Structure formats: C-alpha cells, structure tokens
Amino acid sequence: MIQFHDFGIDVQTYAERGKENDFPLLKKCPHCRAKRPLHRHGYYERNALTPHGDDRIWIVRYRCRECLKTVSVLPSFLLPYFQYTLSAIWQVVKEQLGLIEGTNRAPFLLTKDGIIFYVRRFCRNLSSHHSFFARRWRIIGPIVKKEKERASWWIRTLEKHGLDSVIRDMWEDGFRHPFANQMGS
C-alpha cells in the first residue's frame, strides 16, 4: 500500500537528504487498523524525473507488526508507478492543452507520444474527477462535448483545491490519481 506525505521540500533536497529525510511515524496500520506504530522496514530506490534532471531517491517502507503487511510512504511530488514528478507531468499537460506557454520540454519528455500519453490519461479520467468532486465537495463539472474544454476546467478546479492534496485525497478514497490507468479504461 502507498501513502502520500508532504515533506515540504523539493525533489533535489529530498534526494540530497536520502535516508536522512524526516520520515513520518505511522501510528496506525492502514491495512488492519491496528493502533500500534508501524516498524520501519527498510527503503527502496526509485527515479524522480524533473524538467531539471533526474534523481535517484529513497522511499521508506513500514511493516505492521499485527498483519505483517507493508506501507510505502511516497513524497507528494511523485505519483505511484510514474518516474516523472507530478509537476513535470502537470506542466506538459497544461502546455499541450494551451493553458500555459510551452517551454523546452525535450530534456525530460523526449517524444510527442510521451506527452500525448499523459494528456490522454488525464482526459480518460475526467469522469473519475467528476465522481470524486461530486461526492467530496458536491462540485459537478461542466457538461460540454469538447474534451479540451472539460479538461481545462478540471485542471483549474484541481489547482484551485490544491493539486497535491486533491491527489492524496483521491488516492485515499480509492479514486487512484488523474493519470492512473483506471479500471476498465
């Protein structure tokens, strides 16, 4: 299982600190709900690719002493199962939809196909955003046929509510995240 945590630092600082980051203490197991602190069970490395370069970072793992299941704590600047940081992905999606001026994206997304992949994933998940926001805040997205218009509205709405915290809430509520391969997609 993955839990997000906002370390309040950027990718480069997190990478420099390595295993010395201020990792949270998990006081309750998200699997079995045992109210006993989880044991730090080790680390694993993964990539964090940004427009400025790539870093190898450490992800901490915990293990419940009751059910023996593990929990990984992912920094909020990352998405599960993606190497590119959330801000890098978000930037190219906004550029592709014409919401911000384009930058030199070649250093971190080499192909047009890579960019289109994220835009398609985001657009494919618009109904999931709709369901989550309707249930959480009673906000219903626009009823328009143009996908670009709907996607632009959802981008502004996600940013207005705080992108990192919305993604964390979506994940915890079982909605995955805006770029996930949703079931049945």
Side-chain angles (χ1 to χ4, degrees):
M1 174 178 278
I2 296 170
Q3 284 194 346
F4 288 101
H5 180 73
D6 183 1
F7 286 85
I9 55 178
D10 62 14
V11 179
Q12 289 77 22
T13 304
Y14 183 96
E16 288 167 10
R17 290 182 182 173
K19 293 180 182 177
E20 301 302 317
N21 274 295
D22 188 16
F23 295 108
L25 174 63
L26 300 183
K27 297 179 181 181
K28 181 179 175 183
C29 178
H31 296 286
C32 70
R33 304 287 184 219
K35 293 181 180 176
R36 183 175 175 189
L38 277 69
H39 171 70
R40 193 173 296 178
H41 186 58
Y43 303 88
Y44 64 89
E45 277 189 294
R46 67 167 280 181
N47 293 321
L49 306 177
T50 71
H52 311 292
D54 60 333
D55 291 290
R56 290 290 290 170
I57 62 170
W58 290 103
I59 304 298
V60 67
R61 292 181 66 191
Y62 295 89
R63 186 172 185 184
C64 176
R65 295 169 196 225
E66 302 294 323
C67 69
L68 304 179
K69 292 186 178 177
T70 61
V71 179
S72 297
V73 175
L74 200 63
S76 58
F77 54 76
L78 292 175
L79 291 171
Y81 317 114
F82 287 81
Q83 292 188 54
Y84 295 103
T85 60
L86 174 59
S87 61
I89 295 168
W90 199 247
Q91 177 183 330
V92 296
V93 169
K94 287 176 69 172
E95 287 175 11
Q96 188 68 24
L97 293 171
L99 299 175
I100 59 173
E101 191 66 33
T103 60
N104 182 8
R105 53 184 156 243
F108 68 103
L109 285 178
L110 299 177
T111 67
K112 188 77 168 168
D113 289 341
I115 296 165
I116 291 169
F117 168 83
Y118 292 112
V119 173
R120 284 186 179 152
R121 274 283 179 89
F122 183 78
C123 291
R124 197 178 305 153
N125 291 329
L126 291 177
S127 61
S128 181
H129 307 342
H130 177 87
S131 297
F132 175 76
F133 271 81
R135 190 165 72 167
R136 176 61 68 94
W137 291 294
R138 307 229 185 284
I139 295 174
I140 298 183
I143 302 173
V144 293
K145 293 188 184 226
K146 293 184 179 178
E147 191 173 70
K148 183 178 176 180
E149 212 174 300
R150 287 179 60 223
S152 298
W153 188 89
W154 278 112
I155 285 173
R156 289 189 300 276
T157 301
L158 287 163
E159 288 178 338
K160 184 173 124 185
H161 283 83
L163 182 61
D164 291 352
S165 63
V166 169
I167 288 175
R168 184 174 48 248
D169 291 348
M170 288 177 86
W171 185 263
E172 289 171 1
D173 284 358
F175 282 90
R176 312 275 314 257
H177 61 77
F179 302 98
N181 187 14
Q182 304 292 352
M183 299 284 260
S185 294

